[in-house]
Amino acid sequence: MAAAQIPATGTTADTNTTAAGTGTGTTDAAGRHGAPRGSSHGTARKVLWTLQILIALFLVVASALPKLVGEQNAVETFELIGWGQWFRYVTGVVELAGGIGLLIPRLAGAAATGLIGLMAGAALTQILVIEPAWALLPVAFGAVLALVARDRREQTRALVRSLSLSRSRRR
């Protein structure tokens, strides 16, 4: 995603999603959407969005909810890990928040970045405690999340800047 200077406005643009989330346009630093870009970039963005949505659905439906409602397999897994059931709830909340964040364009990069850490922990837990072969799933998710984080890095920077500005204004 190369940033480009827009001569008429003097703002910096990068290739983020359009209002519809299709990724076929440009988004400037203020979040305004511009003209369509090349079709190969649009196709890549659509594929990435599809993977993002699938991971988000998996995290929310198949991973977080069983942990949060106390499904027997989740309870047994966290007993095996040995950190107690409080860790099951923390993990479920992080998965739920991250899955929802992946679906919100402005938060997707930050959510993906946080979820990479969760996936690293999940892979290590699979390797060291549960079943090493199952470590491939969180590793694969982590790779996709790294692509999302990279693709959304300008939006994440803008989010961090806006949070920093609002924090400094409160002082």
Side-chain angles (χ1 to χ4, degrees):
M1 306 303 126
Q5 196 71 356
I6 300 173
T9 63
T11 61
T12 302
D14 82 23
T15 52
N16 289 320
T17 61
T18 62
T22 61
T24 57
T26 60
T27 304
D28 67 8
R32 294 180 298 260
H33 303 289
R37 302 285 287 202
S39 64
S40 66
H41 178 75
T43 300
R45 175 59 63 89
K46 287 177 185 176
V47 168
L48 195 55
W49 258 112
T50 300
L51 293 173
Q52 245 177 277
I53 291 167
L54 291 173
I55 290 173
L57 289 172
F58 175 84
L59 287 172
V60 171
V61 176
S63 196
L65 290 180
K67 288 176 180 77
L68 295 173
V69 300
E71 191 263 339
Q72 187 61 36
N73 189 34
V75 172
E76 291 170 3
T77 298
F78 279 83
E79 284 296 325
L80 181 63
I81 293 170
W83 280 36
Q85 294 305 307
W86 69 271
F87 192 59
R88 171 175 56 91
Y89 289 110
V90 169
T91 304
V93 168
V94 170
E95 290 173 339
L96 180 64
I100 292 169
L102 284 176
L103 300 174
I104 301 170
R106 182 177 172 143
L107 301 177
T113 301
L115 287 168
I116 291 169
L118 183 73
M119 292 303 129
L124 283 172
T125 301
Q126 290 291 347
I127 291 167
L128 299 174
V129 180
I130 302 174
E131 176 58 46
W134 282 103
L136 294 175
L137 183 64
V139 167
F141 281 5
V144 173
L145 292 167
L147 292 173
V148 171
R150 183 180 189 284
D151 188 56
R152 299 287 181 173
R153 66 189 179 279
E154 289 304 319
Q155 288 174 315
T156 303
R157 286 182 189 133
L159 178 64
V160 169
R161 277 191 302 271
S162 70
L163 292 173
S164 296
L165 286 174
S166 90
R167 185 176 179 192
S168 67
R169 287 180 185 153
R170 282 185 266 159
R171 289 184 186 176

